[in-house]
Amino acid sequence: MDNLDKIFNSFSGKGLFKNKVVLQSNYTPEIITHRTEQMEAVATILAPILRGDKVSNLFIYGKTGSGKTLTVRHVGSKIVEKTKNLGNDNLKFVYINCKMKKISDTEYRILAELIHELGGSVPATGLPTDQVYSRFVDLIDNKKQIILIVLDEIDQAVKKISDNFIYTLTRLNSELKNSQISLIGISNSITFMDNLDPRVRSSLGEEELVFPPYNALQLQDILKERADNAFGENILEEGVIAKCAAFAAREHGDARRALDLLRVAGELAERDSSKKVSLVYIDSANNKIERDKMLDIIESEPKQFQLVLMGIMALDGKKDYESIFTGDVYNAYQEICNKTKNEVLTQRRISDILAEFDMLGIINARVISKGRQGRTREIKLMLAPNIKIKAREILEKSLDI
DNA sequence: CGAGATTCATGTGAAGTATACCTTTAGGCTTAA
DNA sequence: AAGCCTAAAGGTATACTTCACATGAATCTCGTA
C-alpha cells in the first residue's frame, strides 16, 4: 500500500469527527456556557429596543476568547428575531470587526463597511470623508429605525485612526431625524478607555460591562459541551479536554484557543489515522497553531516588509552578531534589494517597518542608547527555530530568490 | 577625580510627493423621434 | 432634443520621502582637590 492510499484511507473510513463545524471559531452555539450573567446584562441594556427606544451605548471589556463577541452576537440576533416577531423591522444590527486588516483600518473603510452592511455601497476610495458620512445618514434616516452598531476590537480602530471618529459617530444622532444609533464597543484592552477623549469616554461608556476570563474548569465545561457534538463516542482520550483547558487557561483563559487546540489536535490525530485523540496531539496542535499564525502573518505581509524581514533573518544567528541593530538591518536589506532588483526604501521608512514588526511580535525591538555609538533599536527575531526555516522558505518563494 | 559638554547613530514627528482611485461636470457624439 | 460616453478637474488614501529636531549614555575635557 503506498502513501496515497494511506492518506485516502484515513479519510474514507469514518473519521474521528462527527461534526467539525462545532469547533470552528465562527460557530455560534445555542447554549453559551458560563456566560448567562453577562448575557442577561447585555439583554437588559438592549431591551428598550423592543419598545422602539434608543438604548445606551455599551462598552465591553474582556480578554480575547472570553466570549464577548459570541455573547453580543447571540443577544443581538435574538433581539432582532424578537422585534421581527413583534412585527417591526425597525432594528438593524451591524457587526464590524475593526481588526480585520482588509476591511477596516481607516475611518473611511469602517464607514464604508458599515454602509455596505446596511445594504448601501460606496467606492473604495475617492469620496471626501464627510460625503461618506452624509451618504451614511441618507441611508439610515429614510425611516424610523434603530441602528445597533457593534464595533469589535474598537481599540485597534482608535489606535490606527483617532478617537474623534467615535465621537462623530455618537454625535450623528443629533443629525438624524428619524432613526437612532446605538454603539456597542468591544475591546480587550482594559486601559483603552483611560487615554480617550473625555467626551468620547462619557458617551461611549454609558454602560460598561466586564467579561472575566474563563478559568480552567469553565473551559472544560465549554469544551465538553462542544466535544460531545464534535467527536464520536470514545474518541477523546482521558484527560484531553483537561489538558486543552489547562493550556488555554494559561493563555488568560482564551476559549477560542482552547477550541482551536481541540480541533487541530483532532485533525492531527485523524491525519495520523489514529483511532483516538491522545494527549500528545495537543502538544503538537499547540505548536502548529503558533506556527501557522506566524507564517500566515509573514506570508501576507507586503513585499517591502518581507524584504526587511529577510534582512533580519540573514543577520540572525550569525556568530559575529551578538545583537542586531537598525543600521545592520538596513545594510542587509539594501543588499537583498539590490540582489532581487527591488527598490530600496529610506532608513526612515525601515524604522517604521521595524516598529510594525515589533507590534506583530515577529521581532522584539527596544530602543537603547549605546553612548558614543549613538541610539538604535536592539532587535531580536522572535521566531522559534522550526518556524524560522519555514518562514525563510515562504520569503524566498514570495520574493523569488 | 568628577561635573559638564560632546558626540554618535538613529528615533521620531511633521510636512510634502507620487500614485492609484473615485466623483462630478461639461462637451461632443450618437440616437430616436 | 435626449441620452450616453469621455476627458478633465478636483478629491482622498496610501506608501513613501525629506527635513529637522530629539535622545541618552559612553567618552572627552577641563577645572580642581
Side-chain angles (χ1 to χ4, degrees), chain A residues 69-286:
Chain A
T69 308
L70 197 57
T71 307
V72 170
R73 294 192 100 153
H74 187 252
V75 176
S77 64
K78 281 278 186 235
I79 204 162
V80 168
E81 201 176 295
K82 190 79 182 172
T83 44
K84 283 235 175 74
N85 285 345
L86 292 174
N88 299 325
D89 63 337
N90 54 8
L91 172 66
K92 285 263 165 58
F93 181 79
V94 189
Y95 171 87
I96 288 185
N97 189 332
C98 307
K99 200 179 175 181
M100 297 182 75
K101 212 172 173 182
K102 258 186 226 149
I103 300 178
S104 347
D105 54 0
T106 71
E107 178 175 10
Y108 190 101
R109 283 196 204 161
I110 289 180
L111 219 47
E113 179 65 13
L114 214 48
I115 293 173
H116 187 72
E117 286 287 320
L118 290 168
S121 75
V122 276
T125 156
L127 285 189
T129 311
D130 49 346
Q131 279 266 352
V132 185
Y133 271 108
S134 64
R135 276 207 192 188
F136 180 57
V137 171
D138 287 349
L139 185 65
I140 291 178
D141 210 21
N142 54 11
K143 65 175 180 176
K144 184 169 163 49
Q145 58 183 348
I146 293 178
I147 317 285
L148 195 53
I149 301 172
V150 182
L151 294 172
D152 205 346
E153 320 249 13
I154 197 172
D155 45 336
Q156 297 292 324
V158 170
K159 201 160 59 190
K160 280 262 178 187
I161 317 163
S162 83
D163 49 9
N164 61 27
F165 159 61
I166 302 175
Y167 184 63
T168 322
L169 218 49
T170 52
R171 279 289 307 279
L172 229 46
N173 270 328
S174 54
E175 271 181 56
L176 297 171
K177 295 221 171 44
N178 300 315
S179 44
Q180 293 276 289
I181 299 177
S182 294
L183 289 179
I184 299 183
I186 301 180
S187 152
N188 44 37
S189 128
I190 311 269
T191 56
F192 164 67
M193 274 299 226
D194 296 342
N195 31 28
L196 225 52
D197 188 314
R199 294 171 310 179
V200 179
R201 199 185 314 161
S202 63
S203 63
L204 183 59
E206 286 170 343
E207 299 276 355
E208 280 186 39
L209 218 54
V210 177
F211 278 47
Y214 298 106
N215 63 33
L217 288 177
Q218 293 172 327
L219 285 172
Q220 283 199 36
D221 287 340
I222 294 168
L223 285 173
K224 262 181 218 150
E225 178 81 39
R226 301 233 197 156
D228 283 347
N229 293 321
F231 292 101
E233 294 271 310
N234 292 328
I235 296 290
L236 295 183
E237 197 169 86
E238 188 66 30
V240 162
I241 288 190
K243 190 166 180 183
C244 282
F247 260 125
R250 222 164 44 193
E251 302 250 335
H252 59 248
D254 185 340
R256 189 182 314 159
R257 183 56 175 269
L259 292 167
D260 281 347
L261 270 175
L262 193 55
R263 177 173 49 82
V264 173
E267 283 166 4
L268 289 176
E270 203 167 55
R271 208 173 296 166
D272 264 7
S273 34
S274 162
K275 290 267 182 292
K276 281 191 168 220
V277 179
S278 58
L279 288 172
V280 285
Y281 288 115
I282 297 175
D283 288 309
S284 354
N286 198 31

Side-chain angles (χ1 to χ4, degrees), chain A residues 303-337:
Chain A
K303 194 166 70 181
Q304 288 294 347
F305 283 58
Q306 293 186 341
L307 286 163
V308 174
L309 187 56
M310 202 63 201
I312 298 173
M313 303 230 331
L315 296 176
D316 174 68
K318 269 195 184 168
K319 276 200 209 89
D320 37 333
Y321 280 104
E322 190 64 20
S323 41
I324 308 173
F325 303 114
T326 309
D328 306 330
V329 174
Y330 189 61
N331 291 337
Y333 156 80
Q334 268 181 309
E335 220 172 276
I336 293 172
C337 283

